[in-house]
């Protein structure tokens, strides 16, 4: 904000300052005499703090870097734990999949073995039935006066 005198321009001794919001900055008396090219700003570095403040800045910077480093290490550790957990889960999943596959193969082998046993049992029963039927026919033929095997080739018809 810029100040402006209330009284006449020549009477600056009794003037009281007033904010000049109502006019452009170049028309304001304090601003009109300002030269931005030649005017300089004086800085008192003693009020900013001496070398101690610089060391404090370095200490805070180092402390901040340490915190960032620790945070990065913690994040890397958490990431590594997460990756290890995922690897264990994948291994567990693969192990369960292998076990299921082995169980399925064992069930298939047992089913095939049962089928083979059932088929062998049916073949044995069919052979026994055929042998029993052949024995029954032979008994009938012997009982009715036929000699020997009926299926044998005939020897003397002529």
């Amino acid at each position: 904000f810029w100040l402006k005198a209330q009284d006449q321009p020549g009477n600056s001794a009794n003037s009281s300052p007033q904010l000049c919001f109502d006019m452009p900055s170049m028309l304001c008396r304090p601003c009109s005499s300002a030269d931005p090219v030649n005017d300089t700003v004086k800085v008192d570095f003693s009020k900013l703090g001496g070398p101690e403040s610089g060391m404090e800045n370095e200490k805070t910077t180092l402390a901040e870097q340490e915190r960032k480093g620790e945070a990065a290490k913690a994040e890397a550790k958490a990431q590594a734990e997460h990756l290890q957990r995922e690897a264990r889960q994948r291994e567990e999943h693969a192990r369960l999949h292998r076990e299921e596959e082995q169980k399925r193969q064992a069930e298939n082998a047992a089913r095939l073995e049962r089928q083979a046993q059932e088929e062998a049992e049916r073949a044995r029963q069919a052979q026994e039935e055929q042998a029993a039927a052949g024995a029954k026919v032979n008994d009938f033929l012997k009982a009715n006066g036929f000699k020997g095997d009926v299926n044998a080739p005939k020897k003397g018809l002529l």
Side-chain angles (χ1 to χ4, degrees):
F1 61 88
W2 296 101
L3 301 174
K4 166 179 135 176
Q6 278 184 337
D7 294 329
Q8 297 295 330
N11 193 4
S12 60
N14 294 332
S15 65
S16 63
Q18 178 184 2
L19 296 175
C20 61
F21 290 113
D22 57 342
M23 63 178 70
S25 64
M26 294 308 291
L27 297 178
C28 177
R29 221 179 315 152
C31 298
S32 65
S33 64
D35 184 13
V37 176
N38 294 326
D39 288 345
T40 59
V41 177
K42 294 182 181 178
V43 178
D44 187 9
F45 290 106
S46 64
K47 293 181 181 178
L48 293 176
E52 294 173 357
S53 69
M55 292 180 76
E56 289 175 8
N57 286 339
E58 289 178 17
K59 288 179 183 178
T60 57
T61 304
L62 290 175
E64 185 178 323
Q65 288 176 352
E66 287 178 12
R67 280 193 304 262
K68 286 181 181 179
E70 290 173 3
K73 286 179 185 178
E75 184 178 336
K77 183 178 178 182
Q79 182 71 16
E81 289 174 357
H82 178 70
L83 291 175
Q84 288 175 349
R85 202 174 320 115
E86 284 182 350
R88 282 193 301 263
Q89 288 175 349
R90 282 193 302 269
E91 289 172 3
E92 181 69 17
H93 180 69
R95 184 186 60 80
L96 290 174
H97 184 69
R98 283 191 305 269
E99 287 177 358
E100 288 176 2
E101 187 64 29
Q102 289 173 352
K103 184 178 178 182
R104 197 175 8 240
Q105 287 176 354
E107 288 174 354
N108 285 341
R111 183 177 47 82
L112 290 174
E113 187 177 331
R114 278 193 310 271
Q115 287 176 349
Q117 287 176 352
E118 289 172 358
E119 198 170 305
E121 181 65 26
R122 279 190 291 244
R124 187 188 58 78
Q125 286 178 352
Q127 189 178 9
E128 286 178 0
E129 288 175 2
Q130 191 176 16
K136 196 175 187 183
V137 168
N138 283 338
D139 289 343
F140 175 78
L141 290 176
K142 284 183 185 178
N144 291 322
F146 292 97
K147 291 183 182 179
D149 191 14
V150 242
N151 292 330
K154 298 184 180 181
K155 293 183 183 178
L157 283 177
L158 294 173

